[in-house]
Amino acid sequence: MYHVKDDIRARRSSELLYQGLLAMLQEKDFSKVSISDISRVSTVGRATFYRNFDELADILWWKCDQDFSEVLTSFVRSEPTLERQDELLLYVLRYWMGHSKDLETLMQVGRLDIIYNCFVDNAGIVLDYLHGRGIKMSTRNYTYFISVRAGFFVGMMRAWMENGKHESAEEVARIVSEQHGEVMSAGVIV
């Protein structure tokens, strides 16, 4: 788990550690990277590493969590009109297409679970906003609602990256919408 304090020094040290990890992943497999490697490359001491993180994967978890918090908070602050069904999807896709290195790193090291869990952990940011606008959702169905969307997001971004990242956010949203429509009109539940 990570324990990064909400202050400039802790965030800066954590970002340096993240950049150090990315640099090491250019040279070694994740399983072969050590905390000493990252400390050396990032110039952040081991004591600082252990003050903020328990293990190397926690750096990835922290960065992904920060990214999801940033995009969803930014969406809410943009005061969306919610006139288009795909408004949130487009916003999130545009953000992640600009920050795809973070997702690619997680995929490279086989940690899709971190993407999924960070999505789930931060989904409340948007749901609280929707609730404040009078859009209610049964808490009974909340876990299904979020789980489906988190899994869908991971799969969609993985496909986009495997296809060479050629499609724009609008193209991906259109593809997803068309496929959803085709499945629904066929009466197929997958």
Side-chain angles (χ1 to χ4, degrees), residues 57-127:
D58 295 342
I59 296 172
L60 298 172
W61 199 289
W62 169 79
K63 183 62 172 173
C64 188
D65 208 26
Q66 295 301 301
D67 287 340
F68 269 107
S69 178
E70 179 181 320
V71 66
L72 297 178
T73 299
S74 177
F75 174 76
V76 167
R77 286 186 181 151
S78 74
E79 298 184 18
T81 62
L82 302 176
E83 291 173 5
R84 291 181 53 155
Q85 276 187 314
D86 63 356
E87 190 173 357
L88 175 58
L89 175 62
L90 284 170
Y91 196 94
V92 170
L93 285 174
R94 287 180 189 127
Y95 175 90
W96 280 109
M97 287 177 173
H99 293 79
S100 62
K101 181 65 180 160
D102 296 343
L103 294 180
E104 287 172 306
T105 300
L106 288 161
M107 290 182 187
Q108 173 190 345
V109 302
R111 294 303 306 262
L112 298 179
D113 62 306
I114 292 175
I115 303 169
Y116 177 90
N117 285 309
C118 288
F119 183 113
V120 169
D121 291 346
N122 285 280
I125 294 168
V126 173
L127 291 175

Side-chain angles (χ1 to χ4, degrees), residues 144-160:
Y144 289 103
F145 179 83
I146 296 303
S147 295
V148 166
R149 279 146 186 83
F152 177 78
F153 172 79
V154 170
M156 183 175 48
M157 293 308 292
R158 183 177 183 177
W160 176 72

Side-chain angles (χ1 to χ4, degrees), residues 93 97 100 104 156-175:
L93 285 174
M97 287 177 173
S100 62
E104 287 172 306
M156 183 175 48
M157 293 308 292
R158 183 177 183 177
W160 176 72
M161 286 185 239
E162 288 174 353
N163 287 335
K165 304 191 288 187
H166 297 293
E167 299 88 5
S168 68
E170 290 74 15
E171 289 172 307
V172 171
R174 180 189 50 76
I175 291 166

Side-chain angles (χ1 to χ4, degrees), residues 8-51:
I8 293 170
R9 280 182 40 189
R11 286 191 306 269
R12 187 175 23 226
S13 296
S14 297
E15 185 62 37
L16 287 170
L17 289 164
Y18 177 70
Q19 294 304 321
L21 177 57
L22 292 181
M24 290 308 306
L25 289 173
Q26 299 299 312
E27 299 175 22
K28 298 180 178 184
D29 287 337
F30 182 73
S31 62
K32 304 246 189 281
V33 175
S34 71
I35 293 165
S36 295
D37 291 333
I38 295 194
S39 290
R40 179 178 41 78
V41 171
S42 69
T43 68
V44 175
R46 289 174 59 86
T48 301
F49 172 89
Y50 284 112
R51 186 172 28 260

